[in-house]
Amino acid sequence: MQSGGDFSNGFHGDHHRELELEDKQVPGLSSFGRAKRRSHAGARDPRGGLANVLRVPDQLGEQKSLETSESPPPPCTDFDVAYFHSYAHVGIHEEMIKDRARTETYREAIMQHQSLIQGKVVVDVGCGTGILSIFCAQAGAKRVYAVDASDIAVQAKEVVKANGLSDKVIVLHGRVEDVEIDEEVDVIISEWMGYMLLYESMLGSVITARDRWLKPGGLILPSHATLYMAPVSHPDRYSHSIDFWRNVYGIDMSAMMQLAKQCAFEEPSVESISGENVLTWPEVVKHIDCKTIKIQELDSVTARYKFNSMMRAPMHGFAFWFDVEFSGPASSPAKNTSETSIASGSSLISPSGEVNQKKRTNPSDALVLSTSPESPPTHWQQTIVYFYDPIDVEQDQVIEGSVTLSQSKENRRFMNIHLEYSSAGRSFVKESVMR
């Protein structure tokens, strides 16, 4: 996942709103964005942009019969092509590989499950430079299909060759929906997570690979994912972006403040915060079991929340982060009735007081990669949805409402965010688009 500096904000002129409500029905989200993040070049012809696709039957000298062919895959849109093309840029892959928490956790997960990988067939969905495919080959995989629709697949093939693994790692240049693999696979591995977990909608490709090729009881890494949210206070950020305009070299520029709020806080901001910024225990927005989730579940995710502030402070917005877990097929998250730290992202108490996430009873049972504020930093950082104006909250004050995350109808890789929140008798709505 690529980050764009300290704060990933921009003014795009869309009419997002943060409105105080007076017993009014909340209207639906109507604004959509244009391709920007990771789309560093214009769209090409969808089919021409995926030239030189290597299909497995071509390599193995086999062809699927027309009688057993699958239904046609969904079309590759111009947005998809621009998205794939952006991943041909080496800087994105450099940033991801240099994220030691990410890369070393994946390598450790592969080695922890070596007994399930050795001598088996693996698919790496969105292989990029091929590093995870090579880790799997080093763990003894019989064969690894490294699939990527970006032109980075050309370099991945050369990387595989340079490491003497061309007999084990087969690089397929194309979409998971389009490439052909004429055998079932034992393992699927993918680093599919976007900002706020679901941004970019790459999980759908993992689900497609699972439904096309994974054997019953096969292994998916990561196996589970959980998105969390919590209210935050961040006065330094607000002062840096907004209060700065009150006095600029002795000049009153407060007339700029309203525009500054629009530019700074209209879109979600990808940045790093600490546990000190978090006002409450987090709540679960979505828990995902990669073995069972359906693509349709990703169209829209809605969760209700109820927080009790642990301190008196200005609340500037909500932070979102996620965990992914690497469990084998015989284990699954178990209920945990105790509160744990924000660092693991697992301290999740529902409004009724019950734990509303399935978690391990023993954290050592499975390997976890966390992007929480108190975990080692990652390139995902945290995603903050800021209010245009802070809300003062007292200790033990209730903050409740709902959040809906939905795929844009125009570009499914964008995410619409609809937040409703109320506290101390005042209700608000914040809508934005993550592009």
Side-chain angles (χ1 to χ4, degrees):
M1 172 62 67
Q2 181 191 19
S3 60
D6 293 336
F7 308 122
S8 60
N9 294 295
F11 178 59
H12 296 272
D14 292 293
H15 300 292
H16 308 309
R17 339 177 261 131
E18 183 179 8
L19 304 177
E20 187 162 358
L21 303 179
E22 297 177 356
D23 299 325
K24 294 180 181 177
Q25 184 177 358
V26 178
L29 193 64
S30 61
S31 56
F32 303 110
R34 294 182 298 107
K36 141 178 116 118
R37 307 167 65 86
R38 292 207 184 180
S39 297
H40 303 295
R44 299 170 293 168
D45 176 76
R47 297 304 170 187
L50 298 178
N52 300 318
V53 174
L54 174 62
R55 297 181 181 273
V56 177
D58 298 336
Q59 186 170 16
L60 300 182
E62 303 172 359
Q63 294 290 340
K64 275 189 173 182
S65 68
L66 294 175
E67 291 78 10
T68 60
S69 63
E70 299 167 346
S71 59
C76 184
T77 68
D78 286 350
F79 286 115
D80 289 331
V81 174
Y83 168 76
F84 297 141
H85 186 54
S86 72
Y87 271 87
H89 193 283
V90 70
I92 293 175
H93 300 279
E94 179 182 351
E95 180 184 37
M96 292 189 291
I97 291 172
K98 285 182 176 178
D99 182 344
R100 296 181 68 88
R102 164 198 178 271
T103 305
E104 291 182 357
T105 300
Y106 266 85
R107 181 168 61 179
E108 184 178 353
I110 290 167
M111 297 313 298
Q112 278 192 5
H113 295 88
Q114 185 172 8
S115 62
L116 300 173
I117 294 173
Q118 195 166 24
K120 304 296 185 180
V121 180
V122 179
V123 167
D124 179 1
V125 178
C127 68
T129 60
I131 187 169
L132 300 186
S133 297
I134 291 173
F135 287 164
C136 289
Q138 290 173 340
K142 173 184 176 182
R143 185 159 45 252
V144 182
Y145 296 107
V147 184
D148 204 298
S150 164
D151 288 345
I152 198 68
V154 176
Q155 280 71 41
K157 187 173 183 179
E158 293 303 314
V159 170
V160 169
K161 182 179 179 181
N163 286 272
L165 292 170
S166 296
D167 60 330
K168 285 192 174 183
V169 180
I170 303 168
V171 178
L172 304 179
H173 186 182
R175 297 191 305 162
V176 163
E177 295 82 359
D178 297 326
V179 301
E180 297 172 8
I181 298 176
D182 282 352
E183 62 179 322
E184 290 185 315
V185 305
D186 305 281
V187 181
I188 293 174
I189 190 165
S190 179
E191 194 274 80
W192 55 264
M193 302 82 71
Y195 297 134
M196 217 167 164
L197 186 62
L198 297 176
Y199 173 66
E200 292 186 358
S201 299
M202 189 179 160
L203 177 56
S205 296
V206 177
I207 296 170
T208 297
R210 178 199 70 193
D211 294 345
R212 291 189 70 187
W213 302 310
L214 188 65
K215 291 180 180 178
L219 176 67
I220 302 180
L221 297 176
S223 57
H224 301 83
T226 307
L227 175 64
Y228 305 93
M229 69 179 293
V232 293
S233 181
H234 204 342
D236 290 343
R237 172 74 159 94
Y238 198 85
S239 175
H240 174 84
S241 300
I242 309 303
D243 291 338
F244 159 79
W245 294 103
R246 296 185 187 277
N247 186 327
V248 182
Y249 295 99
I251 301 171
D252 180 0
M253 288 196 173
S254 56
M256 295 288 297
M257 290 178 64
Q258 196 60 35
L259 179 61
K261 291 176 184 178
Q262 186 81 359
C263 292
F265 302 143
E266 183 179 37
E267 292 189 352
S269 176
V270 176
E271 58 186 88
S272 293
I273 59 173
S274 72
E276 295 178 354
N277 297 114
V278 182
L279 293 174
T280 72
W281 295 112
E283 289 267 4
V284 169
V285 176
K286 179 68 174 178
H287 180 70
I288 292 170
D289 184 338
C290 294
K291 292 292 288 291
T292 59
I293 189 169
K294 296 177 173 57
I295 288 181
Q296 293 78 8
E297 294 180 51
L298 305 177
D299 291 342
S300 183
V301 172
T302 298
R304 294 201 59 82
Y305 57 81
K306 185 175 182 180
F307 299 105
N308 290 85
S309 179
M310 295 189 291
M311 65 190 77
R312 180 183 183 182
M315 182 173 72
H316 292 96
F318 290 96
F320 295 81
W321 64 86
F322 63 88
D323 294 348
V324 292
E325 182 175 307
F326 299 84
S327 298
S331 62
S332 61
K335 284 199 172 183
N336 181 4
T337 56
S338 63
E339 295 182 6
T340 54
S341 69
I342 293 176
S344 67
S346 58
S347 50
L348 303 154
I349 307 301
S350 71
S352 62
E354 297 180 352
V355 175
N356 60 354
Q357 183 209 5
K358 293 181 178 180
K359 292 296 290 185
R360 309 170 303 286
T361 53
N362 180 357
S364 65
D365 288 348
L367 188 63
V368 173
L369 171 61
S370 177
T371 66
S372 78
E374 290 189 349
S375 293
T378 71
H379 74 283
W380 287 285
Q381 303 179 81
Q382 291 82 44
T383 301
I384 318 295
V385 177
Y386 280 104
F387 308 150
Y388 292 120
D389 295 291
I391 301 172
D392 291 327
V393 297
E394 303 292 330
Q395 184 173 343
D396 298 323
Q397 184 170 320
V398 174
I399 306 154
E400 59 184 331
S402 65
V403 59
T404 297
L405 311 176
S406 58
Q407 293 180 0
S408 166
K409 301 299 182 185
E410 179 186 3
N411 181 358
R412 64 188 177 87
R413 300 194 185 277
F414 295 165
M415 185 164 62
N416 300 322
I417 303 168
H418 180 92
L419 265 170
E420 299 177 27
Y421 54 101
S422 62
S423 189
R426 302 174 67 196
S427 298
F428 305 86
V429 173
K430 177 69 186 288
E431 294 181 343
S432 56
V433 180
M434 192 161 197
R435 304 178 178 83

